[in-house]
Amino acid sequence: MASKFSSLNTISLLLFMFFFSLSLANLLPIFNSPETLCNSTPHPSFCKCFLPYNKPGTIHDYAKISISQSLTNAINFLSLVQHYLTLPSTSYESTIRALEDCQFLAQLNIDSFSFALETIKNSNDNNKLPGSLTDDLLTLFSATLTNLETCQEGLQATPSASSILNSLSTPLSNGTQCFSVSLSLFSHGWFPETRNGRLLTERKGIFFTNMKKGARKSLPLQSTSGRKLLEAFTDGVSVSKMVVVNPNGSGDFATITDAVNSAPNNPASSDGYFVIYVVAGVYNEYVSIPKNKKYLMMIGDGINHTIITGNRSVVDGWTTFNSATFAVVGQAFVAVNMTIQNTAGAIKQQAVAVRNGADLSAFYNCGFEGYQDTLYTHSLRQFYRDCEIYGTIDYIFGNAAVVFQNCKIYARLPLDNQFNAVTAQGRIDPNQNTGTSIQNCSILAAEDLASSNGTTKSYLGRPWKEYSRTVVMQSFIDSLIDPSGWAPCSGDFALATLYYAEFDNTGPGSNTTNRVTWPGYHLINATDAANFTVSNFTQGDFWLPATGVPYFGGLL
């Protein structure tokens, strides 16, 4: 009998030790060699150059080293750019503009890596982060790569900057590889946990907490005007202050720029929105919402009533990045009821109406008018609802995580021998959480294209960068779209690495029988399509309710 109990006790002890070891294995950090971790990144050789060799550590240890290295790289690159800006030989205005873009973008990268390191350092357990913060940092790391790529593109497109580009090519390449390694190690080391229902992702300990949760119904914005429209939209939205722009001098300001400058610097989200009401009229000015003007809301009197217009272009010596009539960087920006134009025309090539690099930003019931490169969804998380977008070549482009919902997307008549491409998405790294999602929109021919002889070909998109990612779902696609659906950019470039997908579309242009057969093209199901909805792709449930902009989070 004693031996029987002894055997049972031994078995129980062995089972306890087995399950305890399993639990302990889940709690203890997993140590890896730098070689093992680096081999999982897009740039193994570069990764191994700066991680401490033969010193095992966790992926979190090495990610923090990599992020710190990326910060140092960004600081050094900014110093190098500033050096070239001070040289007497840097006299061409176009070169100065390209370098100023690089200076601006490098400072954004410094801000992002500094914030990331501080966030990880200050977390209770720096190997774990709330899911919302993980999304924030993944978004910021994705944007740092985009910023560096944008700097390089501007220099490449500026003939007078060729010698400077040659000097900066190695620092740019090193920076790209360094940032890519940081993004890869972070994305593999930190995984989003179950979210806690906050209405806005956390940034420096600040939240929107006093807003009505859930989607609101669309407002009859075209049949409502002036103060009534303003009151209808801001009902339920926290507002700190409201100012009026009227060019006749009867408002608080005569220009939009003066109103933006009057907004507080770096406000807390709990303060609510600083609202700028822009009375109907035509505003010939270039508007910039800088990074320190956060939680700013701009409301006009409607599409084609409040109009902001400019005509900068690449042909006239501007970079694509700084050709924008309206540029946004300040976090949580919201625009409602206005049209923004670039009137340079098709002959002037790239000419941006709006460039948006503002995280957690939304445009509602706005019009965007241009030809090539109309709407530059540059970076971070964005949402567009009930908007009208006009253009020809690559007229929705950039590398944000962006959803277009209930929008009308119009292809215009391009120059002779040109074709239309609705999108040119710019994802450059497989770990970036970016892409363009078009949901419940209508893709149509503008009046000039519809009344032409019908020889112009139009496509849903083409791959601007190697990992270009665009999804068109639950949308109406008219007959203007070529049966092949998508166009190559240059030979077979990116055709195997891109991700283009369609789901549940309607209309004469939605027939997929003769679509491209590229390795990266997909017809997806509802499960896959759900990954590109507002809730999942932009974490919209945690920040859009605060804006007052209506939306639906999932599939229809």
Side-chain angles (χ1 to χ4, degrees):
M1 183 69 72
S3 62
K4 182 178 180 181
F5 280 120
S6 177
S7 299
L8 288 174
N9 288 338
T10 301
I11 293 171
S12 299
L13 181 60
L14 290 172
L15 287 172
F16 170 78
M17 292 176 64
F18 173 73
F19 287 112
F20 178 76
S21 65
L22 287 180
S23 300
L24 190 62
N26 290 328
L27 292 172
L28 291 175
I30 299 174
F31 289 87
N32 295 282
S33 69
E35 184 170 4
T36 301
L37 292 176
C38 286
N39 286 339
S40 68
T41 72
H43 306 283
S45 297
F46 187 88
C47 173
K48 294 170 189 175
C49 287
F50 67 82
L51 289 185
Y53 198 70
N54 288 331
K55 185 180 178 182
T58 68
I59 192 168
H60 302 96
D61 296 330
Y62 289 122
K64 283 179 275 188
I65 293 171
S66 179
I67 295 166
S68 180
Q69 182 71 22
S70 292
L71 174 59
T72 300
N73 184 290
I75 292 170
N76 291 340
F77 184 73
L78 176 60
S79 296
L80 193 56
V81 169
Q82 290 172 334
H83 166 72
Y84 281 107
L85 278 169
T86 61
L87 292 179
S89 58
T90 307
S91 57
Y92 289 102
E93 188 64 30
S94 57
T95 301
I96 293 171
R97 287 170 180 163
L99 284 171
E100 286 176 343
D101 287 353
C102 292
Q103 179 178 241
F104 173 77
L105 294 161
Q107 185 59 61
L108 290 180
N109 285 349
I110 291 170
D111 295 343
S112 293
F113 287 122
S114 298
F115 172 76
L117 286 172
E118 189 69 17
T119 299
I120 294 170
K121 175 184 174 183
N122 290 340
S123 63
N124 293 329
D125 179 350
N126 60 17
N127 290 343
K128 291 183 180 178
L129 292 169
S132 58
L133 271 175
T134 306
D135 290 326
D136 283 355
L137 297 189
L138 190 61
T139 298
L140 290 176
F141 292 145
S142 295
T144 60
L145 277 167
T146 302
N147 292 339
L148 211 56
E149 180 80 356
T150 303
C151 164
Q152 181 167 292
E153 289 164 357
L155 292 169
Q156 288 172 338
T158 306
S160 60
S162 59
S163 62
I164 292 176
L165 176 61
N166 288 336
S167 300
L168 291 177
S169 60
T170 297
L172 282 165
S173 175
N174 289 343
T176 297
Q177 293 180 82
C178 190
F179 297 178
S180 175
V181 169
S182 293
L183 172 63
S184 178
L185 293 177
F186 179 83
S187 63
H188 288 89
W190 279 267
F191 299 94
E193 298 175 347
T194 302
R195 292 169 172 79
N196 55 14
R198 290 166 175 163
L199 297 185
L200 183 68
T201 50
E202 185 174 6
R203 189 67 56 82
K204 295 184 180 178
I206 296 170
F207 308 90
F208 277 115
T209 56
N210 56 343
M211 308 299 180
K212 297 176 181 178
K213 187 174 182 180
R216 58 192 267 179
K217 294 180 179 179
S218 297
L219 299 172
L221 297 180
Q222 297 293 1
S223 61
T224 310
S225 62
R227 291 286 185 175
K228 289 183 179 179
L229 181 150
L230 193 66
E231 292 168 2
F233 184 78
T234 55
D235 176 38
V237 174
S238 179
V239 175
S240 61
K241 184 178 180 180
M242 185 181 301
V243 298
V244 178
V245 177
N246 196 324
N248 69 10
S250 64
D252 300 296
F253 301 96
T255 70
I256 299 169
T257 298
D258 286 343
V260 171
N261 291 339
S262 76
N265 294 330
N266 298 309
S269 62
S270 55
D271 294 339
Y273 280 102
F274 183 91
V275 177
I276 299 174
Y277 170 46
V278 186
V279 174
V282 178
Y283 296 82
N284 287 282
E285 58 178 303
Y286 295 93
V287 178
S288 177
I289 313 298
K291 65 182 180 182
N292 62 341
K293 303 296 182 180
K294 302 176 182 179
Y295 312 111
L296 193 151
M297 180 178 291
M298 193 175 293
I299 303 179
D301 274 328
I303 293 176
N304 295 326
H305 292 284
T306 297
I307 301 171
I308 305 170
T309 186
N311 63 0
R312 290 174 178 169
S313 68
V314 167
V315 168
D316 288 338
W318 300 89
T319 63
T320 300
F321 185 79
N322 61 35
S323 71
T325 302
F326 195 101
V328 190
V329 181
Q331 181 187 333
F333 175 79
V334 179
V336 185
N337 299 345
M338 58 182 61
T339 290
I340 304 169
Q341 304 172 333
N342 189 314
T343 61
I347 196 70
K348 292 298 181 76
Q349 300 176 24
Q350 296 94 335
V352 175
V354 169
R355 186 193 82 230
N356 187 4
D359 199 19
L360 313 174
S361 58
F363 284 77
Y364 176 36
N365 199 61
C366 289
F368 307 90
E369 297 179 3
Y371 285 86
Q372 183 172 351
D373 290 3
T374 303
L375 177 55
Y376 195 173
T377 57
H378 181 262
S379 54
L380 305 169
R381 290 165 290 192
Q382 308 178 17
F383 178 65
Y384 297 78
R385 168 80 177 210
D386 296 342
C387 292
E388 298 178 1
I389 306 148
Y390 291 82
T392 54
I393 300 171
D394 306 338
Y395 62 99
I396 298 173
F397 76 113
N399 196 21
V402 56
V403 176
F404 293 87
Q405 201 173 84
N406 293 22
C407 295
K408 292 181 179 179
I409 301 171
Y410 293 99
R412 305 175 91 166
L413 184 65
L415 298 176
D416 291 343
N417 302 315
Q418 288 185 338
F419 64 86
N420 291 325
V422 176
T423 65
Q425 205 283 325
R427 187 164 168 255
I428 63 172
D429 190 283
N431 291 304
Q432 286 181 306
N433 62 348
T434 54
T436 297
S437 175
I438 297 174
Q439 183 186 23
N440 199 40
C441 295
S442 296
I443 299 173
L444 308 163
E447 186 176 347
D448 59 352
L449 180 63
S451 60
S452 67
N453 58 18
T455 60
T456 299
K457 288 193 173 185
S458 298
Y459 301 91
L460 294 173
R462 61 176 181 164
W464 181 29
K465 302 294 179 181
E466 188 173 2
Y467 294 93
S468 182
R469 181 160 65 177
T470 302
V471 176
V472 181
M473 57 188 186
Q474 299 182 313
S475 294
F476 176 83
I477 304 174
D478 214 343
S479 57
L480 76 156
I481 296 300
D482 188 83
S484 62
W486 307 82
C489 199
S490 178
D492 62 357
F493 170 74
L495 302 188
T497 52
L498 61 78
Y499 183 92
Y500 287 170
E502 296 181 56
F503 168 71
D504 196 26
N505 296 308
T506 61
S510 68
N511 189 322
T512 59
T513 303
N514 295 310
R515 285 295 195 253
V516 293
T517 57
W518 307 335
Y521 172 73
H522 308 274
L523 294 175
I524 57 176
N525 58 27
T527 300
D528 292 331
N531 293 321
F532 300 97
T533 58
V534 169
S535 297
N536 293 327
F537 199 49
T538 67
Q539 299 82 51
D541 292 334
F542 302 94
W543 60 275
L544 274 171
T547 68
V549 175
Y551 76 99
F552 48 89
L555 297 173
L556 291 172

Short mmCIF file of all heavy atoms in Angstrom, two decimals, residues 180-205:
data_model
loop_
_atom_site.label_atom_id
_atom_site.label_comp_id
_atom_site.label_asym_id
_atom_site.label_seq_id
_atom_site.Cartn_x
_atom_site.Cartn_y
_atom_site.Cartn_z
N SER A 180 14.58 50.12 -40.44
CA SER A 180 13.88 48.89 -40.79
C SER A 180 14.13 47.79 -39.76
O SER A 180 13.21 47.05 -39.39
CB SER A 180 14.33 48.41 -42.18
OG SER A 180 13.75 47.17 -42.50
N VAL A 181 15.37 47.70 -39.28
CA VAL A 181 15.70 46.72 -38.24
C VAL A 181 14.93 47.03 -36.96
O VAL A 181 14.38 46.13 -36.31
CB VAL A 181 17.22 46.68 -37.99
CG1 VAL A 181 17.54 45.87 -36.74
CG2 VAL A 181 17.95 46.10 -39.21
N SER A 182 14.87 48.30 -36.57
CA SER A 182 14.12 48.69 -35.38
C SER A 182 12.65 48.32 -35.51
O SER A 182 12.04 47.78 -34.58
CB SER A 182 14.25 50.19 -35.13
OG SER A 182 15.57 50.54 -34.77
N LEU A 183 12.07 48.61 -36.67
CA LEU A 183 10.67 48.27 -36.91
C LEU A 183 10.45 46.77 -36.82
O LEU A 183 9.49 46.30 -36.19
CB LEU A 183 10.25 48.79 -38.30
CG LEU A 183 8.88 48.37 -38.81
CD1 LEU A 183 7.77 48.91 -37.91
CD2 LEU A 183 8.68 48.84 -40.25
N SER A 184 11.36 45.99 -37.41
CA SER A 184 11.22 44.55 -37.41
C SER A 184 11.32 43.97 -36.00
O SER A 184 10.48 43.17 -35.58
CB SER A 184 12.28 43.92 -38.31
OG SER A 184 12.19 42.51 -38.29
N LEU A 185 12.35 44.37 -35.25
CA LEU A 185 12.53 43.84 -33.91
C LEU A 185 11.38 44.25 -32.99
O LEU A 185 10.93 43.46 -32.16
CB LEU A 185 13.87 44.32 -33.33
CG LEU A 185 15.13 43.78 -34.02
CD1 LEU A 185 16.38 44.40 -33.40
CD2 LEU A 185 15.20 42.26 -33.94
N PHE A 186 10.91 45.49 -33.15
CA PHE A 186 9.79 45.93 -32.32
C PHE A 186 8.52 45.15 -32.64
O PHE A 186 7.80 44.68 -31.74
CB PHE A 186 9.54 47.42 -32.49
CG PHE A 186 8.37 47.92 -31.69
CD1 PHE A 186 8.53 48.25 -30.35
CD2 PHE A 186 7.10 48.01 -32.24
CE1 PHE A 186 7.45 48.68 -29.58
CE2 PHE A 186 6.02 48.44 -31.49
CZ PHE A 186 6.20 48.77 -30.16
N SER A 187 8.23 45.00 -33.92
CA SER A 187 7.00 44.32 -34.31
C SER A 187 6.99 42.85 -33.90
O SER A 187 5.94 42.27 -33.65
CB SER A 187 6.76 44.45 -35.82
OG SER A 187 7.80 43.82 -36.54
N HIS A 188 8.18 42.24 -33.82
CA HIS A 188 8.26 40.85 -33.37
C HIS A 188 8.34 40.73 -31.85
O HIS A 188 8.02 39.67 -31.30
CB HIS A 188 9.47 40.16 -34.00
CG HIS A 188 9.32 39.88 -35.46
ND1 HIS A 188 9.69 40.79 -36.44
CD2 HIS A 188 8.81 38.82 -36.13
CE1 HIS A 188 9.43 40.28 -37.63
NE2 HIS A 188 8.90 39.09 -37.48
N GLY A 189 8.76 41.79 -31.18
CA GLY A 189 8.96 41.70 -29.74
C GLY A 189 7.78 42.14 -28.90
O GLY A 189 7.60 41.66 -27.78
N TRP A 190 6.99 43.06 -29.42
CA TRP A 190 5.83 43.55 -28.67
C TRP A 190 4.56 43.21 -29.43
O TRP A 190 4.45 43.48 -30.63
CB TRP A 190 5.90 45.06 -28.49
CG TRP A 190 6.79 45.50 -27.37
CD1 TRP A 190 6.43 45.75 -26.08
CD2 TRP A 190 8.20 45.75 -27.43
NE1 TRP A 190 7.51 46.14 -25.32
CE2 TRP A 190 8.63 46.14 -26.13
CE3 TRP A 190 9.16 45.67 -28.43
CZ2 TRP A 190 9.94 46.47 -25.84
CZ3 TRP A 190 10.47 45.99 -28.15
CH2 TRP A 190 10.85 46.38 -26.86
N PHE A 191 3.61 42.64 -28.74
CA PHE A 191 2.38 42.24 -29.39
C PHE A 191 1.22 42.92 -28.69
O PHE A 191 1.16 42.96 -27.46
CB PHE A 191 2.20 40.72 -29.31
CG PHE A 191 3.29 39.97 -30.00
CD1 PHE A 191 4.40 39.52 -29.32
CD2 PHE A 191 3.21 39.74 -31.36
CE1 PHE A 191 5.42 38.85 -29.94
CE2 PHE A 191 4.23 39.06 -32.02
CZ PHE A 191 5.33 38.61 -31.31
N PRO A 192 0.27 43.47 -29.47
CA PRO A 192 -0.86 44.16 -28.84
C PRO A 192 -1.64 43.24 -27.92
O PRO A 192 -1.94 42.10 -28.26
CB PRO A 192 -1.72 44.57 -30.05
CG PRO A 192 -0.77 44.58 -31.20
CD PRO A 192 0.22 43.51 -30.92
N GLU A 193 -1.93 43.75 -26.72
CA GLU A 193 -2.78 43.02 -25.79
C GLU A 193 -4.23 43.44 -26.00
O GLU A 193 -4.53 44.32 -26.79
CB GLU A 193 -2.35 43.33 -24.35
CG GLU A 193 -0.91 42.89 -24.05
CD GLU A 193 -0.47 43.32 -22.66
OE1 GLU A 193 -1.16 44.16 -22.06
OE2 GLU A 193 0.55 42.81 -22.19
N THR A 194 -5.14 42.82 -25.27
CA THR A 194 -6.54 43.19 -25.39
C THR A 194 -6.72 44.65 -25.01
O THR A 194 -6.26 45.09 -23.97
CB THR A 194 -7.41 42.32 -24.47
OG1 THR A 194 -7.19 40.95 -24.83
CG2 THR A 194 -8.87 42.66 -24.63
N ARG A 195 -7.38 45.39 -25.87
CA ARG A 195 -7.54 46.81 -25.63
C ARG A 195 -8.56 47.05 -24.53
O ARG A 195 -9.45 46.27 -24.30
CB ARG A 195 -7.94 47.51 -26.92
CG ARG A 195 -6.81 47.50 -27.93
CD ARG A 195 -7.29 47.97 -29.29
NE ARG A 195 -6.19 48.15 -30.20
CZ ARG A 195 -5.57 47.17 -30.83
NH1 ARG A 195 -5.96 45.92 -30.63
NH2 ARG A 195 -4.58 47.40 -31.65
N ASN A 196 -8.43 48.21 -23.89
CA ASN A 196 -9.22 48.47 -22.69
C ASN A 196 -10.38 49.44 -22.91
O ASN A 196 -10.90 50.00 -21.97
CB ASN A 196 -8.31 49.01 -21.59
CG ASN A 196 -7.53 50.23 -22.06
OD1 ASN A 196 -7.84 50.82 -23.09
ND2 ASN A 196 -6.50 50.60 -21.30
N GLY A 197 -10.72 49.69 -24.17
CA GLY A 197 -11.91 50.48 -24.44
C GLY A 197 -11.73 51.98 -24.42
O GLY A 197 -12.69 52.72 -24.45
N ARG A 198 -10.49 52.46 -24.36
CA ARG A 198 -10.28 53.90 -24.39
C ARG A 198 -10.67 54.44 -25.77
O ARG A 198 -10.53 53.77 -26.77
CB ARG A 198 -8.81 54.22 -24.10
CG ARG A 198 -8.45 53.94 -22.64
CD ARG A 198 -6.95 53.93 -22.46
NE ARG A 198 -6.60 53.79 -21.05
CZ ARG A 198 -5.42 53.44 -20.63
NH1 ARG A 198 -4.47 53.15 -21.48
NH2 ARG A 198 -5.16 53.34 -19.34
N LEU A 199 -11.12 55.69 -25.78
CA LEU A 199 -11.61 56.25 -27.02
C LEU A 199 -10.51 56.78 -27.92
O LEU A 199 -10.72 57.06 -29.07
CB LEU A 199 -12.60 57.39 -26.72
CG LEU A 199 -13.86 56.95 -25.98
CD1 LEU A 199 -14.81 58.13 -25.86
CD2 LEU A 199 -14.55 55.81 -26.69
N LEU A 200 -9.33 56.97 -27.40
CA LEU A 200 -8.22 57.45 -28.20
C LEU A 200 -6.96 56.79 -27.71
O LEU A 200 -6.75 56.67 -26.51
CB LEU A 200 -8.09 58.97 -28.09
CG LEU A 200 -7.00 59.63 -28.94
CD1 LEU A 200 -7.35 59.54 -30.41
CD2 LEU A 200 -6.81 61.08 -28.55
N THR A 201 -6.12 56.36 -28.63
CA THR A 201 -4.87 55.75 -28.19
C THR A 201 -4.05 56.75 -27.40
O THR A 201 -4.07 57.94 -27.65
CB THR A 201 -4.05 55.26 -29.40
OG1 THR A 201 -3.96 56.33 -30.35
CG2 THR A 201 -4.69 54.07 -30.04
N GLU A 202 -3.33 56.22 -26.44
CA GLU A 202 -2.60 57.08 -25.51
C GLU A 202 -1.38 57.70 -26.18
O GLU A 202 -0.67 57.07 -26.92
CB GLU A 202 -2.15 56.26 -24.31
CG GLU A 202 -1.49 57.08 -23.23
CD GLU A 202 -1.19 56.25 -22.00
OE1 GLU A 202 -1.41 55.03 -22.06
OE2 GLU A 202 -0.76 56.82 -21.01
N ARG A 203 -1.15 58.96 -25.91
CA ARG A 203 0.05 59.64 -26.34
C ARG A 203 0.45 60.59 -25.23
O ARG A 203 -0.25 61.54 -24.93
CB ARG A 203 -0.21 60.40 -27.64
CG ARG A 203 1.02 60.98 -28.30
CD ARG A 203 1.95 59.88 -28.81
NE ARG A 203 1.32 58.98 -29.72
CZ ARG A 203 1.15 59.21 -31.01
NH1 ARG A 203 1.55 60.34 -31.53
NH2 ARG A 203 0.60 58.31 -31.79
N LYS A 204 1.51 60.28 -24.55
CA LYS A 204 2.00 61.07 -23.43
C LYS A 204 0.98 61.16 -22.30
O LYS A 204 0.78 62.20 -21.68
CB LYS A 204 2.40 62.47 -23.91
CG LYS A 204 3.58 62.43 -24.88
CD LYS A 204 4.05 63.80 -25.28
CE LYS A 204 5.22 63.69 -26.25
NZ LYS A 204 5.68 65.00 -26.71
N GLY A 205 0.29 60.07 -22.06
CA GLY A 205 -0.60 60.01 -20.90
C GLY A 205 -1.89 60.78 -21.05
O GLY A 205 -2.54 61.08 -20.06
#
